[in-house]
Amino acid sequence: EVQVVESGGGLVQPGGSLRLSCAASEFTFSHYSMGWVRQAPGKGLEWISYITGTGNNMLHADSVKGRFIISRDNAKNSLFLQMGSLRAEDTAVYYCARWDGGSQSFDYWGLGTLVTVSS
Amino acid sequence: EIVLTQSPGTLSLSPGERATLSCRASQSISSSQLAWYQQKPGQAPRLLIYGASSRATGIPDRFSGSGSGTGFTLSISRLEPEDFAVYYCQQYGNSQFTFGPGTKVDIK
């Protein structure tokens, strides 16, 4: 069964950095684009980053552009999100999700990892 | 940037009733790029509908999607207890992904 599992969340001070990871299994990772979607406490879903299967093309939402960088290691079936200059408003559960180009949708999601930005 | 608006914000219904959720886009979008997700408390979102009207794998046929252009609808024909959740529409276009604010379907 397709699985994506996030890790790396935690408490970080404003202005700090954190690197999230997502381990993928039971599908050919390099054949799929991937994305990160976050959800602030009690709020809705916000897409933040996307990367193609080859890793050659990335997109970031304006809210994180210049602060967050998405990357992947296809040899290790892993997706990453390097987060910098963190702000209180970045506090959220961060979900890793597989993008299916055929259906144009995020078809598999992880359980998420919580990032808390606070002093 | 395409903005998605969902209505109503909250829908209070009883089990067995029909639910009709609306998603409106600020400009016309391709039906192939409109999806619906369900999220229950403490859980990750789950894909329900893609391409505006195609059910994802394992989704019961009481869920259906329709619409085109700027107006899309998610219908649940007869609400089951497990259907009470938040529903989000989402579109992809112009190198941007956008989610609507969600509609909460709760028990009346």
Side-chain angles (χ1 to χ4, degrees):
Chain A
E1 183 183 350
V2 169
Q3 271 201 319
V4 291
V5 180
E6 305 90 341
S7 61
L11 176 64
V12 60
Q13 292 189 337
S17 299
L18 204 60
R19 189 193 198 207
L20 304 184
S21 299
C22 171
S25 59
E26 302 303 323
F27 67 99
T28 306
F29 184 64
S30 62
H31 288 186
Y32 288 87
S33 299
M34 299 291 294
W36 289 97
V37 176
R38 70 183 179 183
Q39 187 169 37
K43 303 297 183 182
L45 302 173
E46 179 191 14
W47 165 76
I48 53 171
S49 297
Y50 163 92
I51 188 168
T52 55
T54 60
N56 289 342
N57 291 290
M58 295 86 76
L59 299 170
H60 295 88
D62 289 344
S63 59
V64 305
K65 202 171 290 183
R67 301 189 300 123
F68 292 10
I69 298 174
I70 189 172
S71 64
R72 63 192 296 159
D73 183 339
N74 285 345
K76 296 183 178 179
N77 290 344
S78 294
L79 178 73
F80 306 101
L81 186 68
Q82 180 67 48
M83 304 187 295
S85 302
L86 284 161
R87 307 164 180 167
E89 55 265 35
D90 295 318
T91 294
V93 174
Y94 285 73
Y95 294 103
C96 163
R98 189 179 84 166
W99 177 257
D100 178 56
S103 65
Q104 295 280 287
S105 61
F106 290 110
D107 62 350
Y108 286 93
W109 298 64
L111 296 179
T113 187
L114 176 62
V115 173
T116 303
V117 184
S118 174
S119 54
Chain B
E1 178 190 346
I2 296 175
V3 176
L4 298 179
T5 304
Q6 292 186 244
S7 61
T10 301
L11 193 55
S12 296
L13 294 168
S14 300
E17 289 193 295
R18 181 181 185 86
T20 303
L21 288 66
S22 174
C23 174
R24 293 214 165 267
S26 57
Q27 57 187 275
S28 182
I29 61 175
S30 170
S31 296
S32 66
Q33 295 172 330
L34 193 285
W36 290 91
Y37 303 84
Q38 176 195 65
Q39 188 180 33
K40 298 178 183 179
Q43 296 186 19
R46 176 175 72 147
L47 176 65
L48 292 178
I49 300 287
Y50 63 90
S53 60
S54 298
R55 277 187 299 277
T57 302
I59 301 304
D61 61 6
R62 63 181 181 272
F63 291 92
S64 63
S66 63
S68 63
T70 61
F72 299 88
T73 299
L74 174 69
S75 298
I76 311 171
S77 59
R78 293 172 308 279
L79 283 164
E80 297 287 341
E82 61 268 29
D83 299 336
F84 292 92
V86 180
Y87 294 83
Y88 297 94
C89 57
Q90 174 258 319
Q91 72 85 34
Y92 167 68
N94 295 330
S95 300
Q96 290 286 312
F97 300 78
T98 310
F99 287 92
T103 289
K104 182 178 182 180
V105 179
D106 66 12
I107 299 176
K108 187 175 181 179

